[in-house]
Amino acid sequence: MFIQLPFSLWDYITTGHYQAIWYPLTWNIRVYDSYFLVFSIFAVWFYLTKQAYRYLYLLFLFLAFFAVLLDGGRSVTIAYTLFVAIVSAAYRYVRWPLVWTYVASWLAYLSVTYTASFASGASTLRIARESSSGRIDLWVNAYQCWLQHPIIGCGFYQLEQYPNLSAHPHNLFIQILTEIGLLGFGFLLYIIFRIIKRIDWSQPQRYFMVAAFLAIGVDLFFSGVHIYPVTQMALLWLFVFLLKNPEFGCSKNLNPLTCQSNSRLVKVLPVLIYIIISMWFVYILSNTNALSSETPITPPRFWVYGYQL
């Protein structure tokens, strides 16, 4: 991922303008920021468990957060800071390496930005910009849309009032509430409740799980990139890792041994629920303009775009 980063840094220093041209696909750099956050959580765990070549995980943490700062990824910066703070406070034996790695990323970012200011004559910190990226307008529009159909939602990508803004409200929780209503949002709350209930709070690794879930929650609250396949797959890997890893002590709770029942209702009920949910989503898709002919098709950008998918 970082093999071409020096070219962007050199261009930044010589011209005073940073462009993330080192990414494989540069149409949406926010996807990479959230992607780095997910894999930074993995890297911290590998460092905590004293895997071989531990310094490489610290190097990844440094480069990942450095890239996020260069991109001006504010939501990921908050999430990353929260995660490092909780882990550093809970695990004393890795506190200072993590803290110094975090500080080193900031120092590198400030140093490069200060050096680049000589080329442009003005020093600007991208991470300190004050714009809201239209989030308030998007959230208000999403709320107004939800009021029209509070139970089943108003469908996917219903943001006609703001054609120049993003096709999602940059908040996964608001997006779920407005698109699939209280039914979908209630299902999300049920999932969160089940995850919290299954955590073994007596295990020493509970702090890592809490830090990881809170960091992801913060990113989901301010970011809209988790509608893209690449970040969805990364989150899937992370949740499977956190909830099925025997070292966290909660995997056994996710597969409780239950008595085999011969009841026909028990066998048929899951199928009925699946059919109902499928019909519901077909109805929602049929009432969205995301599949209209005016919407550009972007198959080559599947991993970092894929609105229609």
Side-chain angles (χ1 to χ4, degrees):
M1 282 298 299
F2 303 103
I3 193 170
Q4 297 188 74
L5 176 59
F7 295 101
S8 286
L9 294 179
W10 176 253
D11 183 67
Y12 184 29
I13 292 174
T14 55
T15 65
H17 300 284
Y18 174 74
Q19 293 181 341
I21 56 177
W22 58 281
Y23 287 137
L25 297 171
T26 58
W27 289 287
N28 196 335
I29 61 176
R30 294 290 171 261
V31 173
Y32 292 100
D33 293 340
S34 295
Y35 191 79
F36 286 148
L37 174 64
V38 172
F39 281 91
S40 292
I41 295 175
F42 281 108
V44 170
W45 172 254
F46 295 145
Y47 186 78
L48 282 172
T49 53
K50 301 180 180 179
Q51 300 288 338
Y53 308 105
R54 297 175 70 201
Y55 68 92
L56 290 178
Y57 301 113
L58 289 181
L59 177 61
F60 177 84
L61 292 173
F62 166 77
L63 292 174
F65 189 48
F66 179 46
V68 169
L69 293 173
L70 287 171
D71 293 338
R74 294 170 298 179
S75 60
V76 174
T77 298
I78 298 173
Y80 189 100
T81 303
L82 178 65
F83 176 75
V84 171
I86 295 176
V87 173
S88 300
Y91 301 97
R92 204 176 284 179
Y93 63 97
V94 297
R95 177 179 303 168
W96 291 115
L98 290 180
V99 170
W100 282 117
T101 302
Y102 176 84
V103 172
S105 297
W106 272 106
L107 292 177
Y109 166 65
L110 295 175
S111 300
V112 171
T113 302
Y114 177 76
T115 304
S117 66
F118 290 104
S120 61
S123 178
T124 58
L125 296 177
R126 294 165 57 89
I127 198 68
R129 68 188 192 281
E130 298 179 357
S131 66
S132 64
S133 300
R135 283 180 174 83
I136 296 178
D137 291 336
L138 288 168
W139 292 354
V140 171
N141 179 75
Y143 173 72
Q144 294 172 348
C145 184
W146 171 72
L147 290 178
Q148 300 175 15
H149 304 282
I151 303 300
I152 63 173
C154 57
F156 297 128
Y157 307 115
Q158 301 296 327
L159 296 172
E160 296 89 345
Q161 297 183 20
Y162 300 97
N164 297 324
L165 297 178
S166 302
H168 47 77
H170 283 74
N171 184 311
L172 185 70
F173 304 101
I174 294 178
Q175 183 172 355
I176 289 177
L177 179 63
T178 185
E179 291 185 352
I180 52 181
L182 290 174
L183 288 176
F185 191 73
F187 186 67
L188 173 63
L189 293 180
Y190 176 74
I191 294 175
I192 296 175
F193 169 75
R194 295 288 291 182
I195 290 176
I196 295 176
K197 184 180 179 181
R198 301 290 183 179
I199 295 177
D200 188 351
W201 297 100
S202 63
Q203 291 290 330
Q205 308 298 354
R206 63 187 183 275
Y207 299 109
F208 182 86
M209 294 189 68
V210 170
F213 283 126
L214 285 179
I216 294 300
V218 169
D219 191 36
L220 292 175
F221 191 84
F222 292 106
S223 176
V225 301
H226 294 284
I227 66 171
Y228 304 124
V230 63
T231 46
Q232 289 178 356
M233 290 175 58
L235 282 181
L236 175 62
W237 296 337
L238 178 63
F239 287 148
V240 170
F241 171 74
L242 292 175
L243 297 174
K244 299 297 291 183
N245 189 344
E247 295 194 49
F248 293 118
C250 61
S251 61
K252 59 182 181 297
N253 295 326
L254 291 178
N255 295 304
L257 296 177
T258 57
C259 297
Q260 296 295 329
S261 174
N262 294 324
S263 172
R264 181 173 298 180
L265 178 62
V266 174
K267 296 180 179 179
V268 175
L269 186 59
V271 178
L272 292 176
I273 294 177
Y274 181 82
I275 293 175
I276 292 173
I277 293 177
S278 300
M279 294 175 61
W280 177 30
F281 270 79
V282 169
Y283 167 77
I284 292 176
L285 280 173
S286 65
N287 287 275
T288 181
N289 60 3
L291 302 179
S292 63
S293 58
E294 292 81 9
T295 304
I297 300 176
T298 57
R301 296 183 275 180
F302 171 80
W303 292 111
V304 296
Y305 253 70
Y307 278 125
Q308 298 191 37
L309 300 176

